[in-house]
Amino acid sequence: MPATLRSLLHRADLHLRLLTSPEAEALDAPLSWLHSSDLDDPTPFLADGQGLLTTGKQFGAETDVTESFAVAYVARLRARGVVALGFGTEVVRAGTPAQLVAACEASGLPLFEVPYETSFIAVAQANADAVAREANARNAWALAAQRAISLAAMRPDGLGATIAELSRQLDGWVGLFDVSGRLDRGYPDDGVPASDLDLLRTESLRLLRAGQRASLPVTTEHHTGFTLQTLGSGGHLSGVLAIANGGALDRAGREVVTAVIALAGLALQQNRELARARGLLRTGLLTMLSVGDPAVVDTTSREVWGPLPAEPVRIAALDVADQDLDTVVDLLELWVQDRPGRLFFAVDDALFLCVGADDTAVVEELVSRYDLHAGLSDGASYPYFGRARTEAVQALDRRREGRPGITEFGDLARDGVLAHLAHVDVDARAVARAVLAPLLDHDRTAGTELTRTVRTWLEQNCEYDRTAQELGVHRHTARARIEHAGRLLERDLSVFATRADLWAAFVVEGGPGAGSTVSA
């Protein structure tokens, strides 16, 4: 039986008598120790959860005790966290002061009377024996629980069996949230309302995204409280363990939970080693797909993960920071299990995803969740997987120039070959600036608009009337400017090859649609 005031009152040899009528919770509150003091204010020498024995010397030997003194005395004890007060009679006073009884009754502090024939030492010793018995019992329980949990960890589903055994030992709900914030398993089933699970999932994701080992108490709508504990090492967390009423565990309970955290972490680490091996297999299969051997890859994938996505497929190439790569891969492994036949992925020089042509939501979700740069190929059949992979890489290269998001290869194709040349050949821009330099220099020194006129002329298919209308000038003015530009460039602008070369210079220097002027 735990050390409580109720257990002391049940000791017939002590002859204790309860003078107040406290709530049952007050009688069953843990009573960690009993002190004796007759000080007016003994609280500096007391701690939360302790009890106090007094002979009442501080109240004087007179029959009457002022109500204000008794109320103030009891208020001090309550504020300090004292859980019980014992009054020894016939030592200083005959009986217990009525004013003290009334003050304790009003404040909810249990008050019991210790008769003259019962020594304070005997009461304190009885409580100490109960504390020791409870501690020994809890230690024995902790050893037995850890032994049972260790045996559970050796079962085929060691992780699930370990968590189920912890739930049984604590007689409460225990759950494991994976790196995506999904409840991987919980015992007992349906032990927590859906709204509580939503809050636990949100808080678990917050801990996982912080990336550091942590413990967090959580109070939900339907439950007094949970404790969330991350699993794994800092910088690479593997999940979150949720324990109902975890914050109320004593030392023995915390030792058992610590053992489970260690075993769960070991199990997840073993899973990680297996995942690394699977990752190497994925990379090999990616290489085989890239060289045009999809049949063997599909057979292997079916045995391990499920079939490849149905044709046509699109390939996504994503930039993932090294510190985030393991977490992203763990998440993708879970998605593969949840979406068989809809996703294949592998890590090579980038993270590559193979998805159905109309099923790119997984790419968008990854980019949004981790703020990534991504390139997405056009649709292709598996014999052309290598070409689609190249398209994805080229789109990713273009995306790296801007903010996180997705660039599709089809958008690059619509920009044209010259636009792509501007991004892959750094020397082309220098050549373009040299070609346009005579126009730029003349405009800068003479205040003319030859550069803008030439570009507009090329954009209007070299038609003077449309160029003049676009610029708001007479067509003879437009023609004169073009002739002047030809002389400055020392090029014959009536020749198609010259016009094409000049347009390429504009595209490489300023990009298509970048405006009608080019900076120097």
Side-chain angles (χ1 to χ4, degrees), residues 249-473:
L249 293 176
D250 61 4
R251 180 186 57 81
R254 291 193 296 272
E255 289 178 355
V256 172
V257 171
T258 299
V260 170
I261 290 172
L263 289 171
L266 179 61
L268 291 172
Q269 181 60 35
Q270 291 173 338
N271 291 345
R272 184 165 306 288
E273 295 300 327
L274 181 59
R276 288 194 179 98
R278 289 198 301 265
L280 293 175
L281 176 59
R282 286 184 180 280
T283 302
L285 296 179
L286 177 71
T287 300
M288 295 180 69
L289 281 174
S290 300
V291 298
D293 194 1
V296 174
V297 176
D298 186 59
T299 301
T300 305
S301 180
R302 285 178 183 274
E303 292 295 328
V304 183
W305 300 287
L308 294 174
E311 298 175 317
V313 295
R314 301 180 75 179
I315 312 305
L318 299 95
D319 256 343
V320 183
D322 291 342
Q323 64 268 23
D324 294 331
L325 184 58
D326 285 344
T327 300
V328 172
V329 168
D330 286 347
L331 181 60
L332 288 172
E333 288 282 8
L334 295 173
W335 285 354
V336 167
Q337 296 174 22
D338 293 341
R339 312 172 189 190
R342 295 177 55 193
L343 170 66
F344 175 80
F345 76 92
V347 179
D348 198 355
D349 49 340
L351 172 63
F352 291 94
L353 272 62
C354 174
V355 297
D358 299 322
D359 191 16
T360 59
V362 61
V363 181
E364 297 167 1
E365 186 170 348
L366 269 186
V367 169
S368 174
R369 180 176 293 198
Y370 294 99
D371 213 23
L372 304 178
H373 295 82
L376 191 60
S377 75
D378 287 338
S381 58
Y382 281 109
Y384 300 97
F385 186 96
R387 185 182 68 187
R389 176 179 174 177
T390 300
E391 291 177 356
V393 171
Q394 290 174 338
L396 174 60
D397 287 340
R398 176 68 65 84
R399 191 69 209 184
R400 287 189 180 111
E401 300 174 5
R403 294 176 297 178
I406 301 175
T407 292
E408 299 188 20
F409 183 79
D411 295 335
L412 303 187
R414 282 187 287 274
D415 286 345
V417 176
L418 293 178
H420 186 63
L421 177 64
H423 291 270
V424 300
D425 190 347
V426 294
D427 293 333
R429 185 161 292 171
V431 173
R433 281 195 293 267
V435 169
L436 299 174
L439 300 181
L440 295 168
D441 291 343
H442 187 276
D443 286 345
R444 189 182 301 109
T445 56
T448 56
E449 293 188 352
L450 295 182
T451 306
R452 179 176 176 229
T453 301
V454 171
R455 177 160 190 149
T456 303
W457 179 62
L458 293 171
E459 290 174 343
Q460 300 301 322
N461 296 321
C462 303
E463 295 183 15
Y464 290 108
D465 287 341
R466 291 172 55 183
T467 301
Q469 184 177 1
E470 182 70 22
L471 296 175
V473 298

